[in-house]
Amino acid sequence: MANPKIVLATSDVASSALAPADAELFGTIIDAWTRRRIGSLRHTHKAVARDVSVLREFAAHSGLPPWLWNEDAFDCWCDHLGLERRLANSTQRHYQCSIRSFLEYLTTNVKFRNEIRRLYGVEPRQICTEENCIPHTVEKESSKERRAFTHEEIELFFDGLRRASVEAGRFRTKDYNPLRRDRTFFFTLYSGGLRISEGLNLNVNSFAPNPALPELGPYGFIKVWGKGSRGSGKRFRTVPVTHPDFPELMDWYITRVRPEFLHRADPNEEALFLSERGTRLKSSSADARFKIATRYCGLEGEGLTPHCLRHSSVTHESLRFSIEMVRRKHGHASAATTQGYMHVPDVMVDDEISSVVSRELDDALNTQEKKE
């Protein structure tokens, strides 16, 4: 059965701008589309409700049922989104994709196509094409461009946290345990290339041994529920541990630091990273702690955010492993997305070119000398 909230939204669609008979059929089609996405495709209620609201908006703007939608009406609506409402490119593209996805369903559904042909004598068709939709690009479209830490900055960041925690312990300040927790939390984000939500949702049992690397002990893999695509909800993946320091740090945290946060916690609490109240650490608190960390290490005001640690992981791992390995580790659907996270300095590229070309020139000269 469809979500009641979503059914209500489809009723709004039906009553907004269409004749009663058109509205009734439109609502029936959307209800079927909704059940399919939530049922067999396992899309989230939130994602489906969002797309239904887009359909409602386009229907109201055009005054047409979907079997009469056309390119002119679509272009007019897109102009409204971009020129009048001034929505971001990524938002406009999502709206366009919602219309395209719905029309893909409608134009391939034999039952509804036959019903529309019987009642109206027309065939529904796809009106969204490469020519009238915003293309997906790997460049960042947000106004705030995120960057990666340099190797020097990442060392400065974690060394600053370590020194701050040592000093807090020496003077017995209340920030002693939070700083030790922060050091482990942010290193987990960096070494695993995790999104902040993925790190916050980790539990004490979110690890598994890697049979190929028994020396890592129980911390060979990190088990993560990460971001899905196209409204499919969270997806599970295992992240290989590639930093030799991670197992020792995590074992230290779980055995010596986390117990300090359990005094006020529920006896059955499984969250890996806890607040001072003994509950799972929240995103707002993690953001605030990150700002404190950048202040301790002298990187305040550099435009860094917790998500920069994920960018840093992709960038630094790309210097150690193939792009395919980096893509899989970070849960990207395509290598193009992975490349969008890479921030390799021009000087590093120039040095690599010079090194490779010089080596090949030397080999060529040595080969020529041997022939002579």
Side-chain angles (χ1 to χ4, degrees):
M1 179 178 295
N3 187 313
K5 294 183 178 179
I6 298 176
V7 174
L8 176 60
T10 63
S11 300
D12 292 341
V13 174
S15 62
S16 59
L18 306 180
D22 295 346
E24 183 178 357
L25 179 55
F26 190 15
T28 301
I29 296 170
I30 292 182
D31 286 344
W33 182 59
T34 294
R35 287 193 297 271
R36 179 175 182 270
R37 290 186 61 189
I38 293 178
S40 60
L41 298 181
R42 291 294 185 266
H43 289 188
T44 64
H45 291 281
K46 180 179 179 181
V48 175
R50 179 185 58 197
D51 288 344
V52 167
S53 70
V54 173
L55 300 180
R56 174 176 55 194
E57 179 176 328
F58 183 39
H61 189 273
S62 65
L64 300 170
W67 48 91
L68 295 181
W69 286 349
N70 56 60
E71 287 83 357
D72 289 340
F74 184 71
D75 289 343
C76 183
W77 179 62
C78 291
D79 286 343
H80 167 70
L81 297 179
L83 300 179
E84 297 181 26
R85 294 180 59 184
R86 299 183 181 276
L87 299 181
N89 281 354
S90 58
T91 303
Q92 294 180 57
R93 186 174 60 242
H94 174 79
Y95 279 32
Q96 293 171 350
C97 288
S98 297
I99 302 299
R100 175 187 291 175
S101 174
F102 173 73
L103 288 177
E104 285 177 355
Y105 169 78
L106 180 58
T107 56
T108 56
N109 187 291
V110 176
K111 172 187 173 182
F112 289 128
R113 286 174 59 194
N114 289 339
E115 184 70 5
I116 291 169
R117 189 186 306 114
R118 183 182 67 84
L119 293 174
Y120 302 98
V122 298
E123 283 277 356
R125 61 189 183 88
Q126 178 63 263
I127 65 172
C128 305
T129 66
E130 293 183 0
E131 286 72 25
N132 63 10
C133 290
I134 299 174
H136 181 77
T137 57
V138 298
E139 287 82 5
K140 292 298 292 182
E141 294 173 336
S142 61
S143 58
K144 295 183 179 180
E145 177 71 16
R146 296 185 178 94
R147 69 174 181 88
F149 285 76
T150 65
H151 280 93
E152 292 75 15
E153 286 174 336
I154 205 70
E155 291 181 6
L156 186 65
F157 179 78
F158 289 115
D159 187 58
L161 276 174
R162 183 190 59 78
R163 287 186 287 104
S165 64
V166 170
E167 184 174 352
R170 181 180 303 159
F171 292 98
R172 300 180 181 276
T173 69
K174 63 180 182 180
D175 220 19
Y176 176 52
N177 287 317
L179 282 170
R180 297 198 296 170
R181 175 205 60 203
D182 296 346
R183 177 187 167 199
T184 309
F185 174 65
F186 292 128
F187 189 76
T188 301
L189 296 187
Y190 169 66
S191 62
L194 306 184
R195 301 175 180 88
I196 189 169
S197 60
E198 294 171 345
L200 293 171
N201 287 329
L202 292 177
N203 294 324
V204 290
N205 60 351
S206 295
F207 303 97
N210 184 344
L213 293 170
E215 54 267 39
L216 297 179
Y219 304 106
F221 290 103
I222 306 174
K223 297 183 289 185
V224 173
W225 282 98
K227 179 182 177 183
S229 59
R230 297 184 180 181
S232 61
K234 294 182 178 181
R235 290 186 177 180
F236 178 79
R237 75 178 192 277
T238 54
V239 177
V241 171
T242 56
H243 288 255
D245 296 338
F246 179 79
E248 182 178 358
L249 179 65
M250 185 55 63
D251 184 65
W252 166 78
Y253 170 76
I254 289 178
T255 58
R256 299 183 56 184
V257 180
R258 185 176 178 274
E260 299 295 329
F261 294 88
L262 292 175
H263 301 301
R264 301 175 63 182
D266 184 285
N268 298 317
E269 179 61 64
E270 295 183 350
L272 181 61
F273 296 107
L274 301 170
S275 68
E276 288 85 331
R277 295 182 178 181
T279 57
R280 188 181 296 272
L281 192 65
K282 295 183 178 180
S283 179
S284 57
S285 298
D287 286 335
R289 297 301 302 180
F290 184 84
K291 292 179 180 179
I292 293 173
T294 56
R295 186 162 66 243
Y296 276 127
C297 64
L299 293 174
E300 188 179 20
E302 295 295 326
L304 296 166
T305 68
H307 196 62
C308 290
L309 293 169
R310 179 168 163 85
H311 282 250
S312 305
S313 175
V314 174
T315 300
H316 299 167
E317 294 285 66
S318 69
L319 303 177
R320 305 172 60 201
F321 303 102
S322 69
I323 191 170
E324 176 61 16
M325 182 275 174
V326 177
R327 181 192 71 79
R328 293 187 184 188
K329 173 175 178 176
H330 295 87
H332 291 149
S334 69
T337 304
T338 305
Q339 289 175 326
Y341 275 70
M342 292 168 59
H343 308 268
V344 181
D346 291 341
V347 63
M348 186 174 295
V349 176
D350 293 340
D351 289 345
E352 185 175 356
I353 292 173
S354 298
S355 175
V356 172
V357 173
S358 296
R359 184 168 63 251
E360 291 179 349
L361 286 173
D362 289 341
D363 292 342
L365 289 173
N366 292 334
T367 301
Q368 185 64 31
E369 290 176 356
K370 290 179 180 178
K371 288 183 179 179
E372 295 176 353

